[in-house]
Every structure is written in C-alpha cells, then in structure tokens.
C-alpha cells in the first residue's frame, strides 16, 4: 500500500486558488461602470470565420453569430450587434462552437474592436440600442487625465 502525504491546506482555507486552468482575464479598462451588471452567455458562432477579441457580433440568417455590420446601401443586409467576443476566435469549417459572449455591461468605446462600417462615434454609441434582451450594453467615452501646461 502506498502512503500519500497531502499538504496541510488548513492555513490557506478560504483563499481562492487555481491549479491548472487557463484564465483569460478581461482586458483592464474594458468594463468602465457598475451598471448594467456584466453578463455573459454561451452562444453559437457561424463556421469558417476569424473574430478578434472585443468584436461586436450579431445573428446571421441561420441564427449563428458573425461580426456585426451596418449596410447603409441595403439596410436589410445589416447585422445588428447583440454582444461582443471576449477573446480571439478562429472557427474551422463544419463547426459551430459555443463561446461566451458579453451581453451586458458598461464598456469603453476605444477598446471595442469596431468593424469598419461603424465609422462614426454616433454609430458606435447607438450600436446596441434596440438589441434583444438580455443585451444591455452601454458604450462610454473614457477621458484620460487632464492636460497641464508648463509655465
């Protein structure tokens, strides 16, 4: 019979720990407010695509997620954003993986990876307006410090 000596974990009781999982922390400064509370939801992506972290995504015709787009020429071809990706994602052909999508929170406008069709601040601030529940994303401008003139 083998003898296994377990470490004394009594002194660390109550302290969170991590053994071997990989943690992908949210970029510092992405969340810039407490209201609305942050909510993520596992959702299915469309196949054969690459999405960068913090890209707004919306539903395609099949109900899978793709990068959001505003089509001013043919508005029916637009894909309204319902959330953002939280990390870089590459989806292979013939797969539709489920990944966590941020559906609610107060986010810094400059950290979102906006598709080129969101070309103005007005489009960025209004991007998530009218999105279906539970989407509740508020986009905010973050102001960095103040300018001090040298005498």
């Amino acid at each position: 019979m083998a003898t296994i000596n377990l470490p004394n974990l009594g002194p660390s009781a109550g302290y969170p720990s991590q053994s071997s999982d990989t943690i992908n922390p949210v970029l510092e400064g992405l969340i810039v407010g407490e209201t609305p509370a942050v909510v993520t939801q596992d959702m299915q992506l469309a196949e054969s695509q690459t999405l960068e972290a913090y890209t707004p995504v919306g539903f395609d015709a099949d109900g899978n997620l793709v990068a959001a787009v505003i089509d001013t020429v043919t508005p029916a071809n637009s894909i309204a954003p319902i959330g953002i990706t939280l990390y870089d994602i590459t989806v292979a052909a013939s797969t539709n993986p489920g990944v966590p999508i941020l559906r609610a929170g107060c986010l810094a406008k400059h950290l979102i990876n906006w598709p080129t069709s969101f070309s103005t601040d007005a489009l960025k601030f209004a991007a998530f307006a009218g999105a279906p529940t539970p989407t509740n994303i508020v986009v905010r401008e973050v102001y960095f410090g103040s300018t001090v003139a040298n005498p």
Side-chain angles (χ1 to χ4, degrees):
M1 174 183 261
T3 301
I4 300 173
N5 295 320
L6 298 175
N8 180 8
L9 299 178
S12 63
Y15 291 100
S17 64
Q18 196 75 28
S19 58
S20 63
D21 291 341
T22 301
I23 298 175
N24 293 322
V26 174
L27 181 64
E28 186 175 338
L30 177 66
I31 309 297
V32 292
E34 296 177 3
T35 305
V38 173
V39 173
T40 61
Q41 181 180 9
D42 289 343
M43 303 184 80
Q44 188 169 311
L45 294 172
E47 62 183 46
S48 302
Q49 64 176 326
T50 299
L51 298 169
E52 293 182 24
Y54 316 123
T55 299
V57 291
F59 296 116
D60 67 5
D62 296 325
N64 297 315
L65 292 177
V66 295
V69 65
I70 295 174
D71 189 335
T72 56
V73 177
T74 311
N77 292 339
S78 294
I79 297 174
I82 57 94
I84 69 166
T85 59
L86 294 174
Y87 49 85
D88 294 340
I89 301 168
T90 300
V91 183
S94 303
T95 61
N96 296 93
V99 298
I101 300 295
L102 189 123
R103 295 288 308 264
C106 185
L107 309 179
K109 178 184 67 110
H110 71 284
L111 291 179
I112 297 174
N113 184 23
W114 296 103
T116 56
S117 61
F118 292 85
S119 56
T120 66
D121 282 346
L123 291 172
K124 293 172 184 176
F125 287 126
F128 298 95
T133 302
T135 298
N136 189 10
I137 293 178
V138 175
V139 177
R140 278 196 183 155
E141 185 72 59
V142 177
Y143 299 99
F144 300 97
S146 60
T147 304
V148 178
N150 291 330

